Amino acid sequence: MKSLFVAAMSLLLPWAAAAQVRIDISHDSPLRKLHIAEVAINTFYVDSVDEQKLVEDGIRGMIAKLDPHSSYSTAEEVKALTEPLAGNFEGIGVQFNMIEDTLMVIQPVGGGPSERVGILAGDRIVSVNDTAIAGVGMARSEIMRRLRGPKGTQVRLGVVRRGVGERLAFTVTRDKIPVETVDAAYIIRPGVGYVRIGSFGATTHAELLEAMAGLERQGMESLVLDLQDNGGGYLQAAVDVAGEFLAKGDLIVYTEGRTSPRMDYRAKGGGSFQGGRVVVLVNEYTASAAEIVSGALQDQDRATVVGRRSFGKGLVQRPFDLPDGSMLRLTVAHYYTPAGRCIQKPYVKGRARDYDMDVLNRLRHGELTNPDSIRFADSLKCYTLRKHRPVYGGGGIMPDRFVPLDTTVYTRLHRELSAKGIVLNAYLHYVDENRARLLEAYPSFDAFSKGYAVPPSLTDSIMAEGRRRAITPKDSAELARTMPYLALQLKALVARDLWSMTEYFAVMNEQNPIVMEAVAMLEGKD
């Protein structure tokens, strides 16, 4: 019994120190039962077993019976999950894509280690430390593992460059590479700024401040804050972002759970944009931290929310680090908006598949295409804090202005061409062959936006490859519906490769109904 107690305490000590957890290992404790079962299987089972996997499977089995967001992650999974939110990683500093089985540089990170040694957009990295990575079927994850490494270490790259006969060699000293969470920021209409936040990480607040300052220098008076498809991230980042639009002391969100007392998060004051009009954009994939921001600005009557009901992820996870670097994330509380709405949508414990199918079920039931399909019980009604407008709980943030999903724009044909990588490979080849000519013809994005049209040869090559792989339009009507959005996507991808993600969204947003609804509101056209 003593040895069991020591083992249990050594495993759970970090939790106990943080949460003052008492561990019951008395004779009839379920913990003792679990330990005996594991020892018996490992010792006496007829075949050998992987004890590490046995324990991990046991943990995953317990987690599966809880809510949809409690989880267990291995050490490798923890690193992959936390890196995008940490604000940086260590590597060579290139944005890249795989063209067939070769890594092609889309853009070197400005001021990063690759740019400093002369690596250019369009370069193909074919070897790393004298090991071939092109034409050998190496997995993308393995290529990334070879390119990344501790700051200060060096890596030798073999590079093939268009127009240069011999292979080039570069020695790159790895460094910290920033991970940006603000995807785009630009003036979308005179006086109207647009900022898109892709996730909430350690640097999001600072990125937002920099983006907003730049837009205000360009004459921004009102703002479109785009949180579409934003899956969330750090709570504190969401609180800091919301605080930029609210007065000191304004409630942003509070959390509360069975063993977690209520904790309020409020604006600190001194926000950078407390006066101008704000429209927040959400859709069915806006979740967690993004729902905190949209719910706070809606409840405080600080912004108009436009789009479709958000995902409804309002469960608070607390991480518990395990000795081998793995992590248990347990739901300990719920998120509530300032008006008292619980953000979390309903779920049945252990029914993860039903939960995962929720967005598809919304589409089937008509909620994404028709606001009349949405019904809220009066018991879920709350009121905004200043204007006392009715808002509803029950899961997600329901927008003030509903914009239906147009299911006809992204056709089956387009989806299949994209899923097979045909669109991606075709545009990568096109940009690779025409980069210099395009930059000469369009020295600025403004000139590109106004003057560039996707050549028929590019779309023809996509359709020809589709036919070769038995992907064809059902009829002429489907082909006609496919071509405009395919051309828009291609133009946006070309803009991204020549400039940045801001230019990508500057192209795509002109045909985004939610964005255009927000712009019309701020321009006073509706």
Side-chain angles (χ1 to χ4, degrees):
M1 179 63 71
K2 183 177 180 181
S3 63
L4 175 58
F5 177 81
V6 172
M9 282 302 296
S10 66
L11 176 66
L12 302 179
L13 185 58
W15 306 6
Q20 298 181 343
V21 175
R22 290 184 61 85
I23 303 172
D24 178 12
I25 54 169
S26 58
H27 181 74
D28 58 349
S29 167
L31 179 61
R32 184 168 183 270
K33 180 178 178 180
L34 183 65
H35 180 78
I36 292 171
E38 190 276 332
V39 170
I41 293 170
N42 190 52
T43 306
F44 298 110
Y45 183 64
V46 62
D47 297 321
S48 61
V49 296
D50 182 336
E51 187 173 12
Q52 180 72 19
K53 186 175 186 302
L54 188 68
V55 171
E56 289 187 350
D57 287 346
I59 294 172
R60 294 185 193 277
M62 289 188 286
I63 292 292
K65 300 299 182 182
L66 303 179
D67 65 276
H69 295 294
S70 290
S71 63
Y72 168 78
S73 303
T74 65
E76 292 76 16
E77 290 168 340
V78 169
K79 187 174 185 296
L81 287 168
T82 57
E83 195 172 70
L85 298 177
N88 62 72
F89 63 92
E90 295 176 351
I92 67 168
V94 294
Q95 299 175 36
F96 72 91
N97 224 318
M98 300 302 295
I99 181 167
E100 281 125 18
D101 61 351
T102 302
L103 185 155
M104 189 176 80
V105 176
I106 294 175
Q107 293 285 349
V109 174
S114 289
E115 185 184 67
R116 289 197 295 267
V117 301
I119 290 178
L120 304 176
D123 283 352
R124 289 168 167 79
I125 299 176
V126 296
S127 67
V128 178
N129 289 333
D130 301 324
T131 298
I133 64 170
V136 295
M138 186 176 290
R140 184 186 181 109
S141 59
E142 177 62 16
I143 293 173
M144 292 178 65
R145 186 189 70 79
R146 291 173 181 270
L147 292 174
R148 292 184 178 183
K151 176 182 177 180
T153 59
Q154 292 187 332
V155 58
R156 298 185 306 279
L157 304 180
V159 170
V160 172
R161 179 172 295 167
R162 178 172 288 275
V164 177
E166 71 275 10
R167 180 183 297 188
L168 305 176
F170 295 91
T171 297
V172 180
T173 301
R174 297 182 178 100
D175 203 346
K176 286 193 176 295
I177 309 301
V179 178
E180 296 183 348
T181 57
V182 172
D183 292 336
Y186 68 101
I187 297 295
I188 192 168
R189 295 291 187 274
V192 180
Y194 170 92
V195 174
R196 181 184 176 95
I197 300 178
S199 62
F200 286 89
T203 61
T204 302
H205 183 224
E207 291 178 51
L208 176 69
L209 290 178
E210 182 179 357
M212 297 275 285
L215 294 177
E216 287 182 318
R217 287 194 294 270
Q218 297 176 60
M220 178 179 70
E221 297 176 351
S222 54
L223 173 69
V224 177
L225 182 62
D226 192 349
L227 301 181
Q228 294 179 86
D229 304 316
N230 183 317
Y234 290 152
L235 166 63
Q236 190 57 52
V239 170
D240 291 341
V241 166
E244 291 303 314
F245 305 96
L246 299 172
K248 184 176 182 179
D250 283 350
L251 181 61
I252 294 171
V253 67
Y254 67 91
T255 63
E256 195 169 22
R258 180 178 64 88
T259 61
S260 302
R262 172 168 169 161
M263 180 175 291
D264 291 357
Y265 295 83
R266 297 181 179 274
K268 298 175 182 177
S272 62
F273 200 73
Q274 296 187 48
R277 292 179 65 191
V278 181
V279 177
V280 178
L281 311 186
V282 301
N283 65 8
E284 55 276 11
Y285 297 109
T286 302
S288 191
E291 293 175 293
I292 289 172
V293 173
S294 51
L297 300 188
Q298 185 181 52
D299 283 7
Q300 294 287 359
D301 289 299
R302 180 62 188 89
T304 302
V305 178
V306 173
R308 295 182 290 276
R309 181 164 68 97
S310 63
F311 183 83
K313 196 281 185 186
L315 298 176
V316 184
Q317 280 74 53
R318 176 179 172 183
F320 295 92
D321 296 322
L322 302 177
D324 63 348
S326 59
M327 179 187 290
L328 190 67
R329 292 176 60 86
L330 287 182
T331 295
V332 297
H334 287 84
Y335 287 124
Y336 295 87
T337 70
R341 294 182 286 166
C342 181
I343 293 173
Q344 180 60 41
K345 62 187 176 185
Y347 62 89
V348 177
K349 290 180 180 179
R351 299 281 293 273
R353 176 168 173 77
D354 291 348
Y355 187 84
D356 293 340
M357 295 290 287
D358 176 66
V359 172
L360 182 58
N361 288 334
R362 292 190 204 184
L363 178 62
R364 289 170 175 167
H365 298 155
E367 179 184 327
L368 302 185
T369 55
N370 188 343
D372 293 337
S373 300
I374 306 169
R375 295 285 186 272
F376 291 107
D378 285 342
S379 60
L380 300 174
K381 183 183 292 187
C382 298
Y383 294 90
T384 61
L385 303 187
R386 287 170 171 76
K387 298 181 180 179
H388 304 290
R389 297 180 297 111
V391 288
Y392 290 88
I397 303 301
M398 185 64 192
D400 302 300
R401 185 72 62 89
F402 177 83
V403 179
L405 174 67
D406 186 348
T407 59
T408 66
V409 172
Y410 193 48
T411 64
R412 174 208 59 85
L413 175 62
H414 195 166
R415 285 196 302 272
E416 291 189 11
L417 291 169
S418 298
K420 296 293 186 181
I422 296 172
V423 174
L424 182 67
N425 280 330
Y427 106 82
L428 285 172
H429 279 295
Y430 170 77
V431 173
D432 185 41
E433 294 169 358
N434 296 280
R435 185 184 302 273
R437 183 187 63 79
L438 288 168
L439 287 172
E440 183 179 358
Y442 306 103
S444 69
F445 173 69
D446 185 58
F448 176 88
S449 179
K450 294 175 180 176
Y452 176 79
V454 173
S457 59
L458 177 54
T459 52
D460 288 347
S461 69
I462 291 172
M463 293 302 164
E465 179 63 15
R467 287 193 297 273
R468 191 183 73 80
R469 297 167 68 172
I471 302 172
T472 57
K474 181 176 61 177
D475 50 36
S476 59
E478 184 183 37
L479 180 62
R481 290 197 312 272
T482 299
M483 298 310 292
Y485 194 68
L486 175 60
L488 179 75
Q489 180 191 27
L490 290 167
K491 182 174 181 176
L493 288 169
V494 172
R496 183 195 69 178
D497 280 20
L498 297 180
W499 290 282
S500 72
M501 286 298 292
T502 286
E503 286 73 23
Y504 171 88
F505 283 106
V507 173
M508 293 299 294
N509 283 343
E510 293 303 311
Q511 298 297 322
N512 185 313
I514 294 179
V515 175
M516 289 298 101
E517 180 73 17
V519 168
M521 290 174 61
L522 292 174
E523 289 189 318
K525 294 180 180 178
D526 77 340

